[in-house]
Each structure stands twice: as structure tokens, then as C-alpha cells.
Amino acid sequence: MRTSLSLLAFSWATLVVVLLLLRFMNEELGGYIPLLVAGLALIFLWAAGVYRLAKSLEERMMRKVPR
Amino acid sequence: MELLPVISAAAAEAVALYLITKCRCVLAPDIHKAGQPRIPKIGGLGLIIAIPFLWLLWNPVSRVAVAFFSVPLVMGVVGLLDDIYSINEYVRVAVSLGYPVALYAVDLMPRMIYVPLIGRFSDALLVGAITVASYLIFSNAVNMFDVVNGVVPFSMSLIPLSSLVYGVVADNEIAVYLSIASLAASLVLFVFNAYPAKLFNGNGGTHVLGAILSGLFLYTGASTFVLIAALPYIVNGILIIFSSRGIKGRDKLSRPTKVVNGLVYPNEDSRGVLTLVKSIVMDGPRDEWGIIKAIYALFLASFALSLLTIYLWRLI
């Protein structure tokens, strides 16, 4: 349960940061196209970060499992 | 608050699902149970029967109602046909994506979206892209997570609570109605699909609930909070897509877990495919009910996080 809860907490905290960054960009950038491009890039980075954390947690847990 | 559509839809759905469990038609094996009992896999039919009551007895002509209820109806019918006749994958995807695109193109969908914490958007291209992406992402994310009894209708009974709280806080009557309608339809299905399941949701059920989740995201004004309440779906989808290097059918992925003497273990030979269920059993093997309880806990935690986010939104 700890692994999945860590993933959920990390996803939420980083997603809120992404949303606040998009809020700032929405106020500062003129037009939708730059916001769309920045939004897609940020969301991809967020998803990649969630995956990287899950992968490193998996590798750590698998090292503990006796073979 | 109009309760007549909600009560009549819940009653019609309950009767339909009860009759499906009695008729014992379109069966599939429950592979996690001893002896693999065969149970009906057309739970989606109950939702398809409930939707016209929720839609036509509320507001048949408004854009929000047409978009919110007709898309799940069309996706549900396609999913149900797939459950019964196994229709071609390309036809299924073409109809499921083509219908919302056509509806948007003929101006029968709202062209404005409010994203709490970011802002309000009304650019036709941007809103169109978000609308289509939302249906694509949520219907697939829900379908990918329908792996154990009760999880999908349970989550869909919690997520609308998040948009309901937003609707009450923001005094948004549409959000309140759409949330209660979604909650009622999901709760009735949950009674029949909860562990040990009397019927499966099937593709019909998961496609309807995925489209309802998209509708809650797009048309209640609570998109940010709905997204956070649905985080386990999103995280599971991210893990599968990134670890399998793209979008692949379930049958093309090696199993991320293995079952030994009724207990589920992570599969070390699964060539790197990662799912949320695998991350749950990484901490220790669990039986089916143990996995279900862990997933319930994750959805309860994400619901609490969505409430915390509503609080943050009120502060700034």
C-alpha cells in the first residue's frame, strides 16, 4: 500500500504545481497556442515524472523480493 | 433539485440489472474466484437503460444535457455490442471518437470550459481538442482499470461527490444535478458489481462510466477536482502506456501480476509492464479482496485530495 500511496501523493503534489504554473502562464502568455504547447509539455513531463518514480520504487522493491 | 429523473432512472436500472442476473445470458468466467464461476458481462445495459430517464426527464434540449448524456449512451451501445458480438476494434474506436467530434462540429456541445486554478477557455480549437482528448483518455483509463470486482462503480460513486461539493460551494445547479445523476447510476451498478460480483460491467459499462467521467470533467466546471479524484485511473494509465512503450491492447501486454494459491504477486517476467495493481502487490502479496480494499483506499485518498484542492482553490 505504501508504494501506491506514495505514487498518489507525488502525483497530486506535482499536478497542483503544474496547474499553478499553467495558471501563471495563462495570465502571462498571450494567446492559446503558446499555452497549449506549454501545457502539453508540462503534462508530458508530469506523466514522465510519475512513471520514473514508479519505476524506481519497483526496482527498489524487487531487489528486496527473495528469488 | 429534480429528484424524479434520478429516482426513476435508479429504479429502472436496478430492475434491469436484477433481470440480467436472473437470465444468466452473455456469461464470462470470474477468473479470480475458485472454480471460475460464469456470470453475466452486460452490466452496461443497466446504465444504458438509466440514461434516457436522467436525460429526457431533466432537460432534453440543452447543449450540456445532450453532450453529457448522449455520448455515454452511444459509447455504451457500442461497448454492449462489443460484449455480445465482439465488433471490429476500428469500428468501435471510430464510433466512440467520431460521435463526440461530430457533436462538437455541429455545435451541440458547449464551447467553453472552466478549469479551476487555471482559468476559463472559449477558443473553439482548444476546447475541441480538450473535449476529444478527455473522452479518449477517460474511457480508456476506466476500461484499463476494470480488473477486479466493484472498483469502477465504487470510484464512480466517489468522483461525482467531488463535483457535487464544488457544485454546492459554487452554487452551480447543473454541476449538482449531473453529479447526483452520475452518483445514482454508479451506486446501483455497484450493488451488483461489488465483490463478489453478480455481474460484470463489460465494455458497455466501462465505456458509459468513462464517458460520464469525461462529462463530469468537461461540463460541471469542476474539471481540476474531478481529475484529482480520478488520479488512480490516470496514474494507472500513465504506468501502462509508458512501461509498454505506447498504447497496446490488453491481449498484447504480458501480465504484470501472477496468481499463486489465490494470492496475487508481482510478475517479475512481465518485461517491464507496470500497473497500479502491480505497485499494490509489490509491498506484499494480496488476495482479490485485499487488492480491492487497497484500490478503494486509493480512491478514498484521491477524493480527500480533491477536497483539499477545492479548499486551496477557495483560498487563492
Side-chain angles (χ1 to χ4, degrees):
Chain A
M1 212 47 246
R2 268 180 65 184
T3 304
S4 45
L5 278 174
S6 309
L7 261 178
L8 187 69
F10 174 81
S11 310
W12 172 75
T14 46
L15 181 61
V16 170
V17 172
V18 166
L19 291 170
L20 291 174
L21 269 172
L22 285 173
R23 176 192 179 93
F24 172 74
M25 287 176 178
N26 188 30
E27 286 164 3
E28 296 301 317
L29 295 174
Y32 289 117
I33 301 297
L35 184 69
L36 186 62
V37 173
L40 285 173
L42 276 173
I43 288 165
F44 181 81
L45 285 174
W46 170 73
V50 171
Y51 172 67
R52 280 312 310 162
L53 176 69
K55 198 71 193 157
S56 62
L57 287 172
E58 183 199 25
E59 281 160 9
R60 202 172 67 187
M61 292 306 294
M62 287 306 193
R63 277 201 294 271
K64 289 184 189 170
V65 176
R67 287 165 192 269
Chain B
M1 182 66 236
E2 293 144 272
L3 283 177
L4 176 70
V6 176
I7 292 167
S8 50
E13 185 183 348
V15 170
L17 293 179
Y18 176 75
L19 292 176
I20 291 168
T21 58
K22 290 294 161 201
C23 90
R24 308 221 23 93
C25 35
V26 198
L27 303 175
D30 193 344
I31 57 162
H32 291 107
K33 307 281 188 309
Q36 302 199 351
R38 293 172 68 79
I39 58 175
K41 61 168 182 174
I42 50 171
L45 184 59
L47 294 169
I48 291 169
I49 287 170
I51 287 173
F53 287 93
L54 294 168
W55 175 11
L56 303 175
L57 293 179
W58 176 55
N59 190 346
V61 291
S62 85
R63 270 191 197 157
V64 168
V66 170
F68 189 89
F69 291 112
S70 76
V71 178
L73 203 54
V74 170
M75 285 192 172
V77 169
V78 173
L80 187 67
L81 290 174
D82 190 35
D83 287 328
I84 301 171
Y85 302 112
S86 291
I87 60 173
N88 183 289
E89 197 173 331
Y90 293 106
V91 174
R92 189 163 49 82
V93 173
V95 176
S96 302
L97 258 186
Y99 181 71
V101 169
L103 216 53
Y104 191 80
V106 297
D107 202 14
L108 279 173
M109 272 182 169
R111 293 195 167 186
M112 197 278 292
I113 180 169
Y114 173 57
V115 185
L117 290 178
I118 302 181
R120 202 173 294 275
F121 303 102
S122 55
D123 179 78
L125 201 64
L126 182 71
V127 176
I130 293 173
T131 302
V132 174
S134 161
Y135 281 111
L136 186 69
I137 291 168
F138 283 119
S139 62
N140 278 297
V142 171
N143 193 260
M144 279 192 258
F145 212 22
D146 190 24
V147 287
V148 281
N149 295 171
V151 163
V152 169
F154 175 83
S155 68
M156 284 303 295
S157 306
L158 266 184
I159 296 167
L161 283 178
S162 179
S163 49
L164 179 63
V165 170
Y166 164 80
V168 171
V169 169
D171 199 18
N172 180 337
E173 276 183 29
I174 291 174
V176 170
Y177 176 76
L178 296 180
S179 305
I180 290 176
S182 311
L183 181 68
S186 306
L187 267 179
V188 174
L189 182 60
F190 179 65
V191 170
F192 290 86
N193 185 236
Y195 177 88
K198 295 177 192 70
L199 52 74
F200 290 128
N201 307 313
N203 285 330
T206 54
H207 287 169
V208 171
L209 292 176
I212 287 178
L213 180 54
S214 302
L216 290 171
F217 176 83
L218 292 166
Y219 311 122
T220 58
S223 53
T224 302
F225 316 125
V226 169
L227 181 71
I228 288 169
L231 261 184
Y233 282 128
I234 305 299
V235 170
N236 186 55
I238 288 170
L239 297 186
I240 293 173
I241 290 168
F242 275 71
S243 62
S244 60
R245 306 273 183 271
I247 299 170
K248 292 172 184 163
R250 224 181 255 184
D251 50 329
K252 293 189 180 106
L253 296 175
S254 52
R255 288 186 68 85
T257 55
K258 58 185 176 188
V259 184
V260 181
N261 297 329
L263 288 178
V264 181
Y265 291 82
N267 187 356
E268 293 154 42
D269 305 323
S270 63
R271 274 170 277 154
V273 176
L274 199 51
T275 64
L276 206 54
V277 170
K278 187 177 182 181
S279 80
I280 289 168
V281 295
M282 264 192 264
D283 297 322
R286 284 170 178 258
D287 59 10
E288 187 190 7
W289 177 230
I291 292 172
I292 293 168
K293 283 192 286 186
I295 298 175
Y296 286 178
L298 285 177
F299 275 107
L300 282 167
S302 54
F303 171 63
L305 290 173
S306 77
L307 293 185
L308 181 59
T309 315
I310 292 176
Y311 179 70
L312 287 176
W313 166 74
R314 295 281 290 173
L315 284 183
I316 60 176

